Amino acid sequence: MDKKTPGRVRPRTEDDLQACVRVLGEVHRQDGYPVNWPARPGEWLTHAAALGNWVADLDGRVAGHVGLTRSAEGDLAPVLWGERNGTSGERAAVVGRLFVASWARGHGIGALLMGRAVAEARHRGLHPVLDVVASDTAAAALYERLGWTRLATVEQRWSASQVVTVHCYSA
């Protein structure tokens, strides 16, 4: 495939990080994701427990990003999924850091990225789950269109002065 193939999803490289941070900044300004802008966005995109990170190219440009990680402290969806299925939350993988550039929306990029993360989780024998802030209605609508199940809606304390409502989903 050449670089201009629309909707191509591939592993993220170090060379993609600047473009990812730029797109993330645009998404943050327009949509408020992430809720709290990270001090080091490149490091925020490069999670220590990463099982993989992917980008979508559209017309030769980075159009979106998704990551897959092991469950970490504070991740509610793996715990809820484990309780619901009588297993350990450690058998889950967390889909996160998903965003699509505003100019690339409507081309199925979000679904392609989600499909890649889900495939990797299943390849590793893990069940994909995720948390999303309730105010991100577009993301929640995407997950529900893709057949994900809402496990719960909970209040999460992110800091002494910030409580956020979060939806937890399972593939």
Side-chain angles (χ1 to χ4, degrees):
M1 281 186 182
D2 73 350
K3 208 170 180 186
K4 292 215 177 234
T5 302
R8 182 174 78 127
V9 175
R10 60 177 174 75
R12 190 190 77 205
T13 67
E14 196 63 34
D15 291 342
D16 295 320
L17 211 45
Q18 287 280 354
C20 288
V21 168
R22 195 168 36 257
V23 171
L24 181 64
E26 293 167 7
V27 169
H28 175 71
R29 284 186 296 280
Q30 180 176 344
D31 302 327
Y33 177 82
V35 172
N36 299 318
W37 183 253
R40 294 183 178 89
E43 288 178 20
W44 185 81
L45 288 171
T46 307
H47 197 283
L51 299 171
N53 290 291
W54 299 271
V55 295
D57 288 329
L58 183 62
D59 297 329
R61 296 167 60 192
V62 170
H65 178 276
V66 71
L68 185 72
T69 63
R70 288 271 182 199
S71 177
E73 188 176 334
D75 288 333
L76 297 175
V79 173
L80 292 168
W81 174 80
E83 288 172 354
R84 182 175 280 194
N85 292 283
T87 189
S88 166
E90 293 177 9
R91 299 206 44 215
V94 179
V95 177
R97 310 303 197 246
L98 172 68
F99 54 92
V100 175
S102 59
W103 59 266
R105 293 178 187 169
H107 294 278
I109 298 296
L112 283 172
L113 288 163
M114 288 293 292
R116 181 63 188 93
V118 167
E120 182 66 22
R122 296 204 189 285
H123 173 75
R124 292 172 178 266
L126 301 171
H127 188 87
V129 298
L130 60 83
D131 297 337
V132 62
V133 293
S135 60
D136 194 345
T137 56
L142 170 66
Y143 307 142
E144 291 173 12
R145 257 194 330 276
L146 296 175
W148 286 58
T149 302
R150 188 182 303 180
L151 300 170
T153 299
V154 297
E155 299 290 316
Q156 229 180 6
R157 179 166 295 283
W158 286 6
S159 71
S161 61
Q162 187 178 32
V163 175
V164 180
T165 303
V166 175
H167 297 312
C168 301
Y169 283 91
S170 166

